[in-house]
Amino acid sequence: MKGLKTIYVCSNCEYHSPKWMGKCPSCNQWNTMVEDVINVAPEEPANKRKSISGTLGADNHAISYDELEIPDYIRSQTGLDELDRVLGGGLVHGSVVLISGEPGIGKSTLLMQISECLGANRRVLYISGEESGGQIKLRAKRLGVSGKNLYILTETNLDSILKEADKIKPDIMIIDSIQTIYEEMIKSAPGSITQVRESALTLINRAKSHGISMLLVGHVNKEGGIAGPKVLEHMVDAVLCFEGEKLQSYRIIRANKNRFGSTNEIGVFEMTDKGLVEIPNPSEMLLSGRPKNTPGNCAVCTIEGTRPIIAEIQALVSPTAFPSPRRTSNGIDYNRLCLIIAVLEKRLGLKFYQNDVYMNVIGGLYLNEPASDAAIALALISSLTDKAVPDDLIAIGELGLSGECRAVSNLEQRVKEAARLGFTKAIVPYKNVEKRKIDTTIELIPIHSIYEAIRVLVSTSES
């Protein structure tokens, strides 16, 4: 019997259930069951599967490993060096890139800006399912985009998009956004798990079979993940996350997945009335406006891919009025913060259990590198004791549960970046300088444990 049927699908593992459940019985994830509507007619899904798989070609066969050749990937410069850095050197021909971010963060602005450079010698098809052609041209005019070799299509029907692509034969396709595209043969609403999966699969097959570079815009849900099935992130070649606070002007692009480059690189931009402007030196931007001689403030140098970046860590420790003190972290893993507080309480006898602790990283940067442990600890101690860390001091090192300071990688690159920005002293792990002499103009203070770090803090503050 033909008709529509409502089911619930897990966005993480695509488990199907006839009723809603708070916890998926297949992957044990909470709040991942999403309502979907499917057509129970057997012939339509079969025809749909045939049309999708047919784009891959029927002549595929196994090839001996010795006969395989390493392809020479051709890359196109996007016109934004920071974005090219994250992509691994540029946009690879025939690749599919998924760009996600909060509403209003600047995804459409970014794509319109790079269309200018990509359209210099290649044909670009910009497909918008959210804006009219007039709105797109108004934004392009504000950004100074001339529109050479740029074609605009305002359409959400997948079949119509593919027919128009056959006429134009673009080299690059931009889909804004994948959640608005729908396939008529699937009866569920646009943005549902089934629609997003099948539409993305068809577009990816078109990109691979025709050598089209494709950029997909992905919406995010209220939990911060990409809306739609989790398999969407597995199907594409790269997943870029556009981060930043809408009330602030700075934006960061980070690669969560990249088959053609590193996932450790980040790109830093500033949102202006003329669009996104690159910031080639993020350290100066992050340290601008840093307060002088203020307790609870410490600098650290972290490595993002191949680039050292100096960030400012701020801590505020204040007496609590509640039986259970509050712990809040922004830009630092909450569990890592609790671990460092426990080490300081156990090894140094500091009474953080009587105080609320607030931790923040300036500029919207997220520090997930253990080398920032020493700076976090010094910022906490400084705020608790009300003794300021010297403005020309930077701390680098990983802390163990026994309070020891462990070696970190790329120390020479870190201290050279600190010296370039005016720092004169650096607290570093003893193991890094024990056997290797580091050529730098900065004064290195090697420490074995957090005990020595607090003595350095006391001595420098008294002097």
Side-chain angles (χ1 to χ4, degrees):
M1 179 179 178
K2 297 182 180 181
L4 302 180
K5 180 181 179 181
T6 300
I7 62 172
Y8 293 88
V9 184
C10 175
S11 60
N12 186 56
C13 66
E14 298 193 42
Y15 174 81
H16 290 62
S17 173
K19 61 179 182 179
W20 184 88
M21 292 181 289
K23 181 179 180 181
C24 175
S26 177
C27 63
N28 296 324
Q29 295 294 317
W30 289 92
N31 299 323
T32 57
M33 304 300 292
V34 181
E35 183 179 355
D36 197 3
V37 179
I38 62 172
N39 195 322
V40 297
E43 66 276 7
E44 291 187 1
N47 292 339
K48 178 59 183 171
R49 284 295 176 185
K50 182 178 179 180
S51 63
I52 292 177
S53 61
T55 60
L56 291 174
D59 298 331
N60 293 335
H61 59 278
I63 303 175
S64 172
Y65 175 80
D66 296 331
E67 298 177 5
L68 292 175
E69 297 180 357
I70 299 178
D72 184 15
Y73 290 110
I74 303 175
R75 296 180 183 266
S76 297
Q77 303 301 311
T78 63
L80 297 176
D81 294 337
E82 292 293 301
L83 179 59
D84 290 338
R85 177 195 294 271
V86 178
L87 290 172
L91 184 63
V92 176
H93 293 200
S95 65
V96 181
V97 179
L98 177 64
I99 302 177
S100 67
E102 295 285 342
I105 204 70
K107 301 184 295 296
S108 300
T109 299
L110 174 71
L111 295 176
M112 183 56 66
Q113 283 186 244
I114 66 176
S115 298
E116 176 77 5
C117 182
L118 293 174
N121 50 19
R122 305 183 69 191
R123 187 169 296 182
V124 180
L125 176 59
Y126 191 109
I127 299 152
S128 176
E130 302 172 350
E131 298 177 287
S132 65
Q135 290 176 313
I136 296 174
K137 187 167 184 178
L138 182 64
R139 184 174 69 248
K141 185 178 181 180
R142 174 174 58 86
L143 299 175
V145 177
S146 62
K148 179 182 178 181
N149 291 330
L150 177 62
Y151 296 83
I152 305 297
L153 175 63
T154 56
E155 182 59 71
T156 58
N157 186 289
L158 181 60
D159 294 333
S160 301
I161 292 173
L162 296 179
K163 290 179 181 178
E164 195 66 23
D166 291 334
K167 297 178 182 178
I168 298 177
K169 300 187 183 302
D171 301 304
I172 299 170
M173 289 179 63
I174 299 174
I175 312 295
D176 187 9
S177 64
I178 187 60
Q179 278 78 17
T180 62
I181 307 302
Y182 72 95
E183 167 59 51
E184 286 182 331
M185 299 182 69
I186 301 175
K187 300 304 179 182
S188 56
S192 64
I193 290 179
T194 305
Q195 286 283 11
V196 171
R197 182 185 65 244
E198 300 298 344
S199 299
L201 181 59
T202 304
L203 291 170
I204 292 171
N205 288 337
R206 173 59 65 95
K208 301 298 182 182
S209 60
H210 290 70
I212 301 174
S213 301
M214 193 168 293
L215 296 165
L216 307 178
V217 174
H219 294 169
V220 296
N221 51 33
K222 60 182 180 181
E223 289 81 17
I226 301 177
K230 190 69 177 179
V231 71
L232 176 62
E233 300 178 40
H234 295 277
M235 292 191 296
V236 299
D237 297 312
V239 179
L240 307 184
C241 292
F242 215 180
E243 304 171 356
E245 298 291 337
K246 287 189 292 185
L247 299 180
Q248 297 181 357
S249 60
Y250 298 114
R251 304 287 188 267
I252 295 176
I253 293 183
R254 189 185 307 271
N256 288 348
K257 171 188 176 181
N258 192 354
R259 289 174 179 162
F260 305 105
S262 173
T263 57
N264 297 321
E265 299 284 358
I266 66 169
V268 185
F269 301 86
E270 182 180 5
M271 178 64 77
T272 66
D273 56 348
K274 299 297 183 181
L276 292 166
V277 178
E278 299 176 83
I279 300 180
N281 193 349
S283 297
E284 293 183 358
M285 177 270 293
L286 294 172
L287 293 178
S288 62
R290 184 186 180 199
K292 302 294 184 181
N293 196 28
T294 304
N297 189 298
C298 187
V300 63
C301 187
T302 182
I303 296 292
E304 294 288 351
T306 59
R307 179 167 55 180
I309 296 178
I310 295 183
E312 177 187 352
I313 298 177
Q314 289 186 338
L316 177 62
V317 181
S318 60
T320 182
F322 303 99
S324 179
R326 185 175 184 181
R327 305 284 186 259
T328 302
S329 64
N330 182 26
I332 296 173
D333 182 65
Y334 174 81
N335 295 323
R336 193 72 183 176
L337 173 63
C338 294
L339 185 147
I340 295 175
I341 291 175
V343 171
L344 297 179
E345 287 182 335
K346 179 69 176 179
R347 305 304 173 189
L348 299 180
L350 301 177
K351 299 179 180 180
F352 285 97
Y353 58 85
Q354 298 176 350
N355 299 275
D356 294 328
V357 176
Y358 304 90
M359 183 68 66
N360 181 45
V361 179
I362 299 300
L365 194 66
Y366 188 86
L367 301 181
N368 54 6
E369 190 182 17
S372 60
D373 290 352
I376 296 173
L378 283 181
L380 290 170
I381 296 171
S382 172
S383 181
L384 180 65
T385 60
D386 206 28
K387 294 182 180 294
V389 177
D391 298 329
D392 60 346
L393 176 69
I394 190 170
I396 304 169
E398 177 185 357
L399 294 183
L401 294 182
S402 300
E404 76 278 10
C405 187
R406 296 181 173 271
V408 299
S409 61
N410 303 311
L411 181 63
E412 187 170 0
Q413 189 178 3
R414 297 174 196 263
V415 295
K416 285 184 177 180
E417 177 71 6
R420 188 182 67 84
L421 291 177
F423 290 90
T424 61
K425 300 177 183 178
I427 293 178
V428 298
Y430 181 81
K431 288 292 184 181
N432 278 108
V433 297
E434 181 181 14
K435 299 180 180 180
R436 180 180 178 183
K437 184 178 179 180
I438 299 178
D439 183 18
T440 179
T441 58
I442 203 171
E443 178 188 351
L444 301 181
I445 307 175
I447 61 172
H448 292 85
S449 64
I450 191 62
Y451 306 101
E452 299 178 20
I454 193 172
R455 284 200 293 267
V456 171
L457 176 61
V458 172
S459 62
T460 52
S461 61
E462 290 178 352
S463 60

